[in-house]
């Protein structure tokens, strides 16, 4: 039995250096996410934006969710919370009080995602889950400030219930994505990539190059579907683990690099690339270690000089907290053993819950989780859905025209900085979106179930336009969608004009000329 158990656990043994590399990559992605989100503090997170708090609570809120970002509708408060999250991500990046930094970053990431669910995408779910499982992983034992204080570990490999949870989570992402793709265009026709590249909202230059080749797109469709469905099985093969891991990571990097060059998916591809770094085997980390050490030698003098400059400031900001219980309480070996087993048991229970949640993908109602049991998933945000382009690719393509009518009767397109309205298709529809958060918002804006959000966006645009004194005043704004349904065999339909919302600026109250002023009464 011991030999059999050793064989079973072999696929779940991870290199601590690989976990540390994943920590650095995840922290960098979070900082990038904060930077992108912070450009829309008012628009996406304040009461002056597109989703005021009362609208959030009325239409989008789950009573089990928590959000520090929902304590105030002021953008200044949001800025403070963003700075706190950035500080936690920086601490995570350098491995400074890693477990505490992971907890703070996870809490604030969940908080900001809960504040505006209308701009979320699948990559956000994965980023959130990576931080959650990392709460139980020692990903600060290498390449960190903590590693200097704690000293080198006895061995570089590590196994626990959390490593099992991490690997199963990676597999669930791709298995569920494939299982949810139930439409014939994925499984029999092979036209899903064709339809995906027909969406001008997300089409990148690389996609334009591939689009004319129907046979190639059909092959890429089946390759995508079966890669997602079959490749995760490699993670559970208990022999030649090193080579299967290298194959999995290599294919995933090529897969997501291809997505990034063809489709505008925001940080989705970077999050997925960061997520698989923890799977790198010791042979890969030994090679990286040698090259990183050589590079560090070149940069060490400069880094030492910069650190000396900021160290006084870091000392003033240092929190009087410590990483874990071991640094505060003298633990005996028996207590360590007990805590380790309690932690593993808790992780195993949560992993079972997560797997059950994902069983929705098999479309078997008898396996669905009942609604009263979902509170835990909503509270700790281990709820997840991997439905990118599933069950079929979205066919309602098109572009927006923000048709503003001036008091002089001119028609200006606010989407194109006030140029005269034209119904000609833009050269790049994707370029109309400031970032992927806005693209996702515009996608959700189309759904009839989200009709409540339309006037808030319309009135926000009016207010922003009139804040600039150089803009001519508008008496009316129409949010127009030029709908262009994606058709098979490269057919080009005629766009149809759909008015999604009409709003007008509030007019100042006119004085009652029939009433006498107070001085005359």
């Amino acid at each position: 039995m011991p030999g059999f158990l050793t064989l079973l656990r072999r696929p779940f043994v991870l290199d601590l250096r690989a976990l540390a590399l994943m920590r650095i990559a995840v922290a960098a992605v979070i900082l990038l996410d904060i930077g992108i989100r912070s450009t829309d503090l008012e628009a996406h997170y304040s009461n002056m934006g597109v989703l005021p708090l009362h609208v959030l609570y009325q239409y989008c809120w789950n009573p089990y969710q928590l959000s520090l970002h929902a304590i105030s509708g002021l953008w200044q408060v949001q800025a403070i919370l963003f700075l706190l999250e950035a500080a936690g991500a920086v601490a995570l990046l350098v491995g400074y009080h890693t477990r505490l930094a992971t907890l703070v970053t996870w809490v604030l990431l969940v908080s900001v995602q809960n504040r505006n669910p209308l701009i979320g995408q699948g990559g956000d779910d994965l980023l959130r889950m990576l931080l959650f499982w990392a709460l139980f992983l020692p990903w600060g034992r290498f390449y960190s400030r903590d590693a200097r204080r704690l000293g080198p570990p006895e061995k570089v490999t590590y196994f626990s219930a959390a490593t099992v949870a991490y690997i199963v989570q990676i597999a669930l992402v791709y298995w569920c994505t494939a299982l949810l793709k139930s439409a014939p265009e994925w499984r029999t026709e092979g036209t899903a990539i064709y339809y995906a590249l027909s969406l001008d909202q997300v089409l990148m230059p690389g996609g334009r190059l591939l689009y004319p080749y129907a046979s190639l797109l059909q092959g890429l469709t089946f390759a995508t579907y079966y890669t997602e469905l079959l490749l995760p099985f490699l993670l559970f093969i208990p022999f030649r683990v090193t080579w299967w891991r290298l194959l999995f990571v290599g294919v995933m990097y090529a897969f997501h690099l291809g997505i990034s060059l063809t489709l505008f998916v925001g940080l989705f591809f970077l999050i997925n690339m960061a997520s698989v770094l923890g799977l790198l085997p010791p042979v890969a980390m030994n090679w990286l270690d040698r090259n990183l050490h050589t590079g560090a030698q070149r940069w060490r003098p400069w880094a030492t000089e910069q650190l000396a400059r900021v160290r006084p400031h870091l000392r003033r900001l240092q929190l009087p907290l410590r990483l874990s219980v071991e640094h505060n309480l003298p633990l005996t070996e028996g207590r360590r053993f007990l805590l380790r087993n309690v932690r593993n048991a808790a992780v195993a229970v949560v992993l079972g819950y997560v797997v059950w949640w994902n069983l929705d993908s098999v479309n078997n109602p008898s396996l669905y989780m009942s609604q009263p049991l979902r509170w835990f998933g909503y509270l700790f945000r281990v709820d997840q859905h991997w439905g990118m382009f599933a069950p079929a690719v979205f066919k309602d393509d098109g572009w927006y025209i923000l048709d503003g009518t001036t008091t002089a009767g001119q028609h200006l397109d606010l989407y194109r900085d006030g140029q005269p309205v034209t119904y000609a298709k833009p050269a790049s529809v994707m370029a109309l979106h400031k970032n992927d958060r806005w693209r996702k918002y515009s996608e959700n804006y189309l759904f009839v179930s989200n009709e409540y959000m339309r006037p808030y966006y319309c009135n926000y645009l009016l207010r922003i336009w009139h804040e600039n004194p150089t803009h001519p005043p508008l008496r009316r704004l129409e949010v127009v969608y030029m709908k262009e349904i994606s058709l098979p065999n490269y057919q080009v339909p005629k766009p149809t004009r759909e008015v999604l919302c009409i709003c007008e600026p509030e007019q100042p109250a006119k004085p009652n000329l029939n009433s006498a002023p107070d001085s005359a009464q």
Side-chain angles (χ1 to χ4, degrees):
M1 283 301 293
F4 180 68
L5 292 176
T6 300
L7 183 68
L8 286 181
R9 85 174 202 168
R10 193 179 291 170
F12 305 106
V13 176
L14 299 178
D15 192 303
L16 290 173
R17 296 167 297 177
L19 287 175
L21 193 63
M22 182 174 72
R23 184 200 80 237
I24 294 170
V26 168
V29 171
I30 291 173
L31 286 171
L32 185 57
D33 181 46
I34 294 169
I36 294 172
R37 287 179 183 268
S38 64
T39 61
D40 297 302
L41 279 178
E42 182 182 77
H44 289 163
Y45 309 101
S46 80
N47 281 347
M48 299 294 287
V50 298
L51 188 63
L53 283 175
H54 71 277
V55 183
L56 170 70
Y57 290 136
Q58 184 176 357
Y59 295 102
C60 310
W61 193 249
N62 185 300
Y64 295 110
Q65 290 180 347
L66 302 173
S67 176
L68 295 173
H69 291 73
I71 62 176
S72 173
L74 297 174
W75 71 262
Q76 293 89 343
V77 174
Q78 306 301 315
I80 294 172
L81 291 170
F82 270 60
L83 288 173
L84 289 175
E85 185 183 356
V90 170
L92 187 62
L93 182 74
V94 300
Y96 181 73
H97 293 303
T98 309
R99 198 175 299 279
L100 176 62
T102 305
L103 177 61
V104 170
T105 307
W106 171 70
V107 168
L108 289 170
L109 181 70
V110 168
S111 174
V112 74
Q113 289 181 3
N114 288 345
R115 173 59 182 90
N116 193 340
L118 300 176
I119 58 175
Q121 44 116 317
D124 295 328
D125 288 4
L126 180 55
L127 189 60
R128 189 175 67 237
M129 291 308 302
L130 287 173
L131 282 176
F132 178 81
W133 295 124
L135 290 169
F136 308 98
L137 289 170
W139 66 348
R141 293 294 284 145
F142 278 93
Y143 314 143
S144 66
R145 295 279 295 173
D146 293 335
R148 296 183 184 181
R149 177 167 48 82
L150 298 174
E154 295 180 2
K155 54 183 180 180
V156 297
T157 56
Y158 179 77
F159 168 81
S160 72
T163 62
V164 177
Y166 161 65
I167 291 175
V168 171
Q169 180 68 75
I170 296 298
L172 285 173
V173 171
Y174 297 101
W175 275 336
C176 296
T177 299
L179 290 172
L180 282 167
K181 290 173 177 172
S182 56
E185 63 196 50
W186 280 109
R187 301 190 178 187
T188 57
E189 297 173 359
T191 55
I193 298 298
Y194 160 78
Y195 284 116
L197 297 183
S198 297
L199 296 173
D200 293 301
Q201 301 174 33
V202 294
L203 184 62
M204 295 280 284
R208 291 184 184 275
L209 295 176
L210 298 178
Y211 187 63
Y213 305 100
S215 298
L216 175 61
L217 299 183
Q218 186 179 44
L220 289 174
T221 298
F222 291 130
T224 298
Y225 176 74
Y226 286 107
T227 294
E228 294 172 341
L229 183 65
L230 301 177
L231 196 69
F233 285 103
L234 299 182
L235 298 176
F236 302 95
I237 300 176
F239 53 87
R240 299 184 68 85
V241 174
T242 295
W243 305 113
W244 298 129
R245 291 261 188 90
L246 288 174
L247 177 61
F248 182 87
V249 174
V251 171
M252 284 295 101
Y253 261 67
F255 180 73
H256 288 290
L257 183 62
I259 290 177
S260 71
L261 295 175
T262 55
L263 297 171
F264 181 45
V265 291
L267 297 179
F268 176 81
F269 75 101
L270 288 178
I271 296 170
N272 281 271
M273 285 179 166
S275 71
V276 300
L277 288 176
L279 299 172
L280 289 173
V283 63
M285 293 312 304
N286 290 339
W287 182 86
L288 281 174
D289 251 353
R290 289 193 299 270
N291 287 274
L292 289 173
H293 180 74
T294 302
Q297 294 294 331
R298 300 174 184 171
W299 291 95
R300 184 166 293 169
W302 177 86
T304 303
E305 179 184 350
Q306 301 304 314
L307 184 60
R309 292 181 179 179
V310 302
R311 184 175 285 128
H313 303 289
L314 291 176
R315 285 174 179 169
R316 286 196 292 268
L317 294 172
Q318 184 174 357
L319 295 173
L321 298 172
R322 290 296 176 262
L323 262 176
S324 59
V325 183
E326 289 88 345
H327 299 288
N328 296 303
L329 295 175
L331 294 180
T332 64
E333 189 60 34
R335 288 178 179 175
R336 291 179 188 273
F337 178 79
L338 178 62
L339 285 174
R340 185 164 58 247
N341 282 280
V342 169
R343 180 185 61 199
N344 285 338
V347 169
V349 170
V350 177
L351 176 60
Y353 182 89
V354 167
V355 172
W356 189 9
W357 188 289
N358 279 281
L359 286 177
D360 287 352
S361 301
V362 301
N363 294 321
N364 186 346
S366 64
L367 298 176
Y368 288 177
M369 182 184 294
S370 62
Q371 197 62 34
L373 294 176
R374 292 181 178 266
W375 68 268
F376 182 88
Y378 296 133
L379 180 62
F380 293 98
R381 291 311 313 270
V382 295
D383 60 303
Q384 48 199 264
H385 181 72
W386 314 109
M388 186 176 182
F389 294 138
V393 179
F394 196 54
K395 304 296 191 304
D396 288 353
D397 194 23
W399 66 95
Y400 282 90
I401 295 174
L402 303 179
D403 185 357
T405 306
T406 68
T407 53
Q410 295 177 303
H411 287 264
L412 308 178
D413 188 354
L414 275 60
Y415 231 138
R416 298 187 301 124
D417 299 322
Q419 298 180 32
V421 167
T422 174
Y423 291 98
K425 187 175 181 177
S428 174
V429 175
M430 183 205 70
L432 294 177
H433 303 293
K434 177 182 176 182
N435 53 51
D436 186 58
R437 299 294 176 189
W438 277 112
R439 185 205 64 78
K440 190 64 179 180
Y441 180 86
S442 69
E443 179 183 309
N444 284 322
Y445 198 83
L446 294 174
F447 300 135
V448 176
S449 58
N450 292 332
E451 196 172 14
Y452 68 88
M453 61 192 276
R454 294 177 180 176
Y456 295 98
Y457 177 55
C458 191
N459 283 286
Y460 167 77
L461 293 171
L462 271 178
R463 181 177 63 81
I464 294 299
W465 176 265
H466 287 137
E467 283 181 356
N468 189 332
T470 63
H471 288 162
L474 301 180
R475 59 178 174 86
R476 180 186 176 93
L477 176 62
E478 296 183 359
V479 180
V480 178
Y481 188 65
M482 299 299 296
K483 188 174 181 178
E484 188 180 59
I485 302 294
S486 298
L487 299 177
N489 301 320
Y490 297 94
Q491 299 177 65
V492 181
K494 182 179 180 181
T496 57
R497 183 179 184 271
E498 295 186 357
V499 179
L500 301 181
C501 186
I502 300 174
C503 58
E504 298 177 355
E506 293 183 2
Q507 300 296 328
K510 295 182 179 180
N512 188 350
L513 301 179
N514 295 323
S515 62
D518 292 341
S519 58
Q521 291 180 353

